[in-house]
Amino acid sequence: MEESMRAMVLRAPGQPLREERLPIPRPGPEELLLRVHACAVCRTDLHVVDGELPHPKLPLVPGHEVVATVVSTGERVRAFPEGTRVGVPWLGWSCGQCRYCVSGRENLCDLARFTGYQADGGYAEYMVAHERFCFPLPAGYSHVHAAPLMCAGLIGFRCLRMTGDAERLGLYGFGAAAHVLLQVARYQGRRVFAFTRPGDVDGQRFARELGAVWAGGSDTPPPEPLDAAILFAPVGALVPVALAAVEKGGVVVCGGIHMSDIPAFPYALLWGERVVRSVANLTRADALDFLALAPSVPVRTEVQVFPLSEANAALSALRAGHVRGAAVLDVDAEG
Ligand SMILES: [Zn+2]
Ligand SMILES: [Zn+2]
């Protein structure tokens, strides 16, 4: 095997990624060495690259929606034979012993480590990942189409769970997560109202094509009250907007890892047992449940594919709101 690999590397937040050759990492006792096929580009990658999330590992290989094949395994790994195709998500490790971990809430572990943030991720030809946070992927998805399931799908699914049995569901920010979630929500018999950036008629058309009963700008109230709303746009000003759109007892779920400040709003918007809550990361159960559900919906991901070396262009397209569905790096495409 080669000794070095191509990788897109963050040397300092605020600067573009640089294409470099790095040594191929070695797996620890409970880790897998993975050959990366594809890695989707998440809004959280933008927050990492832009320096909006504190203290990233540096230098860093970003990327946490990884589709890869097991090349070799650490001495204590039993579950994943070589050649298994796995997905790697944002949550890369948790302690397994704290009160959060032992109650199935490892997403809240104080010692948790995150892929493509505190550990090198999938913007590279190889990476290592802990076996507890690698998940077999459903057959029937190509590498690039499976990649967005690993964060847009997983964390979106956790957000959807937090809306309970809401029948009228608003999705604010119609990007990768919303385009997956809309399909799951319809499958569950919910009606989806999609809110895009004001004036984004292409995004609104895309949402209607996927089955939204209504699509409009986030500055427009929905045609009827909602039971719940999920915010994927990292815009704190949308919290009072969404609260005004949900009925009594409704919940507003903030799905992003980073959000601008929430402006002050009148208590009347929260009154009536409305709830505002965040969703942090994902649990292993979210991953297992969602990856089992996706093929039965079936969730189909729309992807815009970039070669690995074009990671900066993919990030720019996402920042500009020019991606329909999910941006994905096809790591197999060159080299
Ligand atoms: Zn993500
Ligand atoms: Zn823990």
Side-chain angles (χ1 to χ4, degrees), residues 94-102 105-106 108-112:
S94 73
C95 81
Q97 292 168 2
C98 71
R99 68 194 181 95
Y100 294 117
C101 284
V102 298
R105 295 181 294 162
E106 64 271 18
L108 303 178
C109 177
D110 286 330
L111 300 175

Side-chain angles (χ1 to χ4, degrees), residues 174 196 200-212 215-216 324:
F174 202 79
T196 66
D200 180 7
V201 290
D202 288 342
Q204 290 159 22
R205 189 183 313 119
F206 182 38
R208 278 189 220 98
E209 283 167 16
L210 287 172
R324 179 181 157 105

